[in-house]
Amino acid sequence: MTVQKIGKRRTQQREAVLSILQETVGPLSINDIHDLATEYCPDIGIATVYRTIKLLLETDQVVQVILPDGIGRYELPDAAPHQHFLCEECGRAFDLDLGKVSWSKSSFKRKGFRVEDQELCLLGSCPDCR
Amino acid sequence: MTVQKIGKRRTQQREAVLSILQETVGPLSINDIHDLATEYCPDIGIATVYRTIKLLLETDQVVQVILPDGIGRYELPDAAPHQHFLCEECGRAFDLDLGKVSWSKSSFKRKGFRVEDQELCLLGSCPDCR
DNA sequence: CTAAATGCAAAATCTTTGCAGCCTC
DNA sequence: GAGGCTGCAAAGATTTTGCATTTAG
């Protein structure tokens, strides 16, 4: 595992947040991270989670994902572009790799939009909720 | 124009919100709606906008859209499924019709996800910002 | 007139910030 | 030790709610 640099000091709280992000597949909300971190650091405060995530975002060690439920979630940057699945029943988010997503470029490109990125999210029920 | 039913009474404020949604192409935030509504009803309060939108959502007269910037926006229900474009410079959202969006179903369907909907948002610069 | 709807301000959330004490280095 | 980091609590920001007043029907 790569030695991560978070801020200037290595603390239990930051180790916990980073471990959780590394061990989990799929994006996690601040509350998810805080709940999980509590098992490593029982007294970790939510403010520390916010601060740690902000720090990780600023140093590009974490990526923010906002899915159609409006909840901000965080995951490690992934080399491959990917998509997400949001379970409308339990609210959990999953990473997907759908390969190339294609659509008809013709209908709007001429109107002067410059596309730099795209986000695709599928919604429905996850395996556990079916 | 169809006669809309909002709650039990037809008020200037509700007429204003509905007119704005009808006259605008693309989804609008609560603040957008409030700012625009002020021109019809100078004293309309933001709480009334929240309440009116909530009422319209509950009666399926309006649809909520949350794009990757996390801001909730509202638009009239559209018969045709469509996508959105979010300008990363000015923050405005636009409706798009990209026709059929396709991706490789094979990679996750067998794992037990049931897909009921999908949201595609393109990001970049709008014609005004280029 | 009656009661639904509004505006205001207070309450409820969620996120950020200030600060005294703790803990890395 | 010095100063970065933390937890707590206060401050902001956003959305919802309670209530007296206004207003549609």
Side-chain angles (χ1 to χ4, degrees):
Chain A
M1 186 183 298
T2 319
V3 174
Q4 301 270 351
K5 170 119 178 163
I6 318 178
K8 297 188 175 172
R9 289 189 186 171
R10 177 162 302 263
T11 64
Q12 281 197 346
Q13 291 87 338
R14 291 176 175 179
E15 298 279 358
V17 170
L18 208 44
S19 299
I20 287 159
L21 291 168
Q22 286 165 343
E23 289 164 11
T24 309
V25 179
L28 296 173
S29 69
I30 293 287
N31 283 330
D32 292 338
I33 296 167
H34 183 236
D35 290 348
L36 292 166
T38 295
E39 298 179 15
Y40 292 75
C41 303
D43 295 329
I44 186 172
I46 191 91
T48 297
V49 178
Y50 277 109
R51 279 186 284 230
T52 303
I53 290 295
K54 187 175 186 188
L55 193 54
L56 290 170
L57 281 170
E58 287 166 353
T59 54
D60 297 313
Q61 295 180 84
V62 122
V63 170
Q64 184 184 49
V65 175
I66 301 181
L67 302 184
D69 62 357
I71 296 174
R73 293 182 175 84
Y74 305 87
E75 63 184 340
L76 300 183
D78 196 289
H82 65 269
Q83 299 82 35
H84 297 96
F85 182 93
L86 179 61
C87 178
E88 293 170 306
E89 295 181 51
C90 67
R92 272 190 298 167
F94 301 80
D95 284 337
L96 293 180
D97 182 3
L98 299 177
K100 202 176 191 67
V101 175
S102 60
W103 33 267
S104 156
K105 291 187 202 294
S106 61
S107 44
F108 74 99
K109 206 157 199 182
R110 71 192 58 160
K111 294 176 193 151
F113 290 89
R114 177 169 51 212
V115 178
E116 271 148 17
D117 205 353
Q118 72 178 31
E119 294 288 339
L120 175 63
C121 183
L122 306 186
L123 303 139
S125 311
C126 74
D128 290 350
C129 288
R130 292 196 62 178
Chain B
M1 185 183 299
T2 319
V3 174
Q4 301 270 350
K5 170 117 178 166
I6 318 179
K8 299 190 175 172
R9 289 184 188 177
R10 176 161 302 261
T11 63
Q12 281 196 350
Q13 291 86 340
R14 291 176 174 181
E15 296 280 359
V17 169
L18 208 45
S19 299
I20 286 159
L21 291 169
Q22 287 166 342
E23 290 163 10
T24 309
V25 180
L28 296 173
S29 69
I30 293 289
N31 283 329
D32 292 338
I33 295 168
H34 183 236
D35 291 347
L36 291 166
T38 296
E39 298 178 13
Y40 293 73
C41 304
D43 295 329
I44 187 173
I46 192 91
T48 296
V49 178
Y50 277 108
R51 281 187 282 229
T52 302
I53 290 295
K54 188 175 186 188
L55 192 55
L56 291 169
L57 282 170
E58 287 166 353
T59 55
D60 298 313
Q61 296 179 84
V62 121
V63 170
Q64 184 183 51
V65 174
I66 302 180
L67 303 184
D69 62 358
I71 296 175
R73 295 181 175 85
Y74 305 87
E75 63 183 341
L76 300 184
D78 197 288
H82 65 269
Q83 300 80 36
H84 296 96
F85 182 93
L86 179 61
C87 178
E88 292 171 309
E89 295 182 51
C90 67
R92 273 189 296 167
F94 302 81
D95 284 337
L96 294 180
D97 183 2
L98 299 176
K100 201 175 191 69
V101 175
S102 59
W103 34 267
S104 156
K105 291 189 204 292
S106 61
S107 44
F108 75 99
K109 205 159 202 182
R110 68 192 59 160
K111 293 175 195 154
F113 290 89
R114 177 169 50 213
V115 178
E116 272 148 16
D117 205 354
Q118 71 178 33
E119 294 287 338
L120 175 62
C121 182
L122 306 187
L123 303 138
S125 311
C126 73
D128 291 350
C129 289
R130 291 195 60 177

